[in-house]
Amino acid sequence: MAEGPGGQGFEPATGDETRAESVAGGLGESPRAARDAELRTAYEGMLQIRRLVNGAGDASVPAPWEVRGMPRAVALALEAAGIAASAVDERGRRIRTGYRVAAGAEAGRVEVTWQGPAGGGAAEEEQERLTACAAVLEALGWVCLLYRGPRRRRFLEVEPPRRT
């Protein structure tokens, strides 16, 4: 598996990468193809760890390591589902419309927003797109709630399921 920052392996797109970072790949093949291969490997690895940790081959709920690294796990699920991540330029301005994953206001929660360039229409499509994000995450056992925040912009709050 490719090494990411800090030696942690594959780093899924959170929506805050520059365009160049969001398609970085290995030598000898296209950057996009290399990233897609790394993404498939990371996602399948996540599901396999779930099956082993949760017992009885159950991949329907997040494993403890996913809960400890929620932004990374949520971003991996969204990228693997083929949902586009937002991106920024070198100055931090949004240059591509897509999801953005960040730690939530409270510990143990993640916020997913739909971001894009100013005037690019992200606000008009955010409910539909965030609902699609929620469907992906809920199918993987995450609990999702859609809220309306400051300036009436919607965001998705994601948390792990309550274990009994």
Side-chain angles (χ1 to χ4, degrees):
M1 186 172 358
E3 288 296 315
Q8 295 181 357
F10 178 80
E11 285 298 322
T14 63
D16 284 334
E17 296 79 19
T18 63
R19 182 174 288 286
E21 289 173 329
S22 68
V23 295
L27 298 174
E29 60 184 308
S30 80
R32 184 76 257 163
R35 178 146 184 97
D36 288 348
E38 291 173 355
L39 172 62
R40 281 190 303 277
T41 300
Y43 183 74
E44 288 302 320
M46 179 192 77
L47 294 179
Q48 185 60 23
I49 290 170
R50 282 179 170 207
R51 289 182 196 102
L52 294 171
V53 170
N54 294 334
D58 181 15
S60 66
V61 293
W65 72 267
E66 290 175 83
V67 175
R68 286 190 303 272
M70 280 183 61
R72 187 176 186 193
V74 167
L76 175 59
L78 295 175
E79 187 175 356
I83 299 174
S86 184
V88 296
D89 65 14
E90 296 75 21
R91 294 188 217 162
R93 294 179 301 198
R94 294 273 156 211
I95 57 171
R96 186 173 59 210
T97 300
Y99 68 81
R100 179 180 182 264
V101 177
E106 294 182 34
R109 295 193 173 145
V110 169
E111 286 185 10
V112 179
T113 54
W114 195 256
Q115 303 281 317
E124 288 79 27
E125 58 188 43
E126 69 186 1
Q127 181 167 347
E128 176 184 349
R129 301 299 186 161
L130 290 173
T131 299
C133 291
V136 166
L137 296 169
E138 288 170 345
L140 290 169
W142 296 102
V143 176
C144 301
L145 298 168
L146 185 62
Y147 290 104
R148 192 180 294 267
R151 293 185 285 206
R152 308 205 32 89
R153 293 293 305 263
R154 289 180 174 82
F155 67 95
L156 192 62
E157 187 175 81
V158 183
E159 62 186 47
R162 302 278 183 239
R163 298 197 188 250
T164 56

